[in-house]
Amino acid sequence: MSHTPRRQFGTLAPALVTPFLPDGTIDLDSAARLAKKLVDDGCDTILLSGTTGESPTTHQPEKNALTEAVKDAVGDRAFILAGAGSNDTAHAVRIAEGAQAHGADGLLVVAPYYNRPSQAGLRAHVLAIAEATDLPIMLYDIPGRTGLAFTDDTLDLLAEHPRISAVK
């Protein structure tokens, strides 16, 4: 008998834009409505706090409130994938911990941008984030934005971690 594994991260995962109110605060009601609409239309994953979601310009309390509002809006109907990227490892760990505490189901982890660490430094950065939560991780390899690519050897080593299971 053949067993088809469950798709951990879903099959259709739009990067949610982060809507703002005129005063510059996140419009949580609009974010929740947009996420519900996307899920109603067939999306089974919602990516929050990615580049499209203003990840570099929103702060921890805002990221947490956004994750919580969207999770409350869609419940278990969609996998909530939260960006946990920073060029500062300790900051990325705090983002990951906040995402888990506020309802995220998984993390999207980008290479630390601007700093351009060695591959050993990149692995240490990702593993610190992976060890900070119980959430599954999708790596985000976008060297045109970060200035650093995950090498095949680094991907092979990171794939040995039980919670690192995908690459975007």
Side-chain angles (χ1 to χ4, degrees):
M1 176 199 248
S2 168
H3 173 70
T4 303
R6 180 179 162 268
R7 290 180 185 265
Q8 185 170 45
F9 293 103
T11 57
L12 185 56
L16 190 79
V17 298
T18 300
F20 290 90
L21 295 168
D23 68 359
T25 59
I26 294 178
D27 185 346
L28 297 174
D29 292 336
S30 291
R33 276 194 311 276
L34 178 55
K36 283 167 65 174
K37 171 75 170 132
L38 290 167
V39 172
D40 289 347
D41 288 349
C43 297
D44 58 359
T45 299
I46 301 291
L47 170 60
L48 301 175
S49 296
T51 308
T52 303
E54 300 293 335
S55 63
T57 60
T58 53
H59 299 284
Q60 188 70 47
E62 294 170 309
K63 292 176 194 309
N64 293 344
L66 179 64
T67 300
E68 196 167 294
V70 170
K71 183 65 174 184
D72 287 348
V74 302
D76 291 332
R77 296 189 311 135
F79 186 95
I80 303 302
L81 183 61
S86 175
N87 62 343
D88 172 347
T89 301
H91 183 223
V93 164
R94 288 190 305 274
I95 294 169
E97 291 169 339
Q100 178 171 297
H102 292 273
D105 299 305
L107 302 171
L108 182 68
V109 176
V110 69
Y113 40 86
Y114 185 72
N115 298 346
R116 297 184 185 181
S118 65
Q119 289 296 306
L122 173 57
R123 290 190 297 272
H125 175 84
V126 170
L127 291 172
I129 298 164
E131 291 304 315
T133 75
D134 298 324
L135 299 177
I137 292 176
M138 177 185 294
L139 302 175
Y140 190 13
D141 189 18
I142 185 166
R145 294 280 187 187
T146 63
L148 176 67
F150 287 83
T151 65
D152 290 344
D153 288 342
T154 291
L155 289 172
D156 288 345
L157 288 167
L158 292 173
E160 293 175 8
H161 192 283
R163 286 187 304 282
I164 299 173
S165 58
V167 178
K168 173 183 179 205

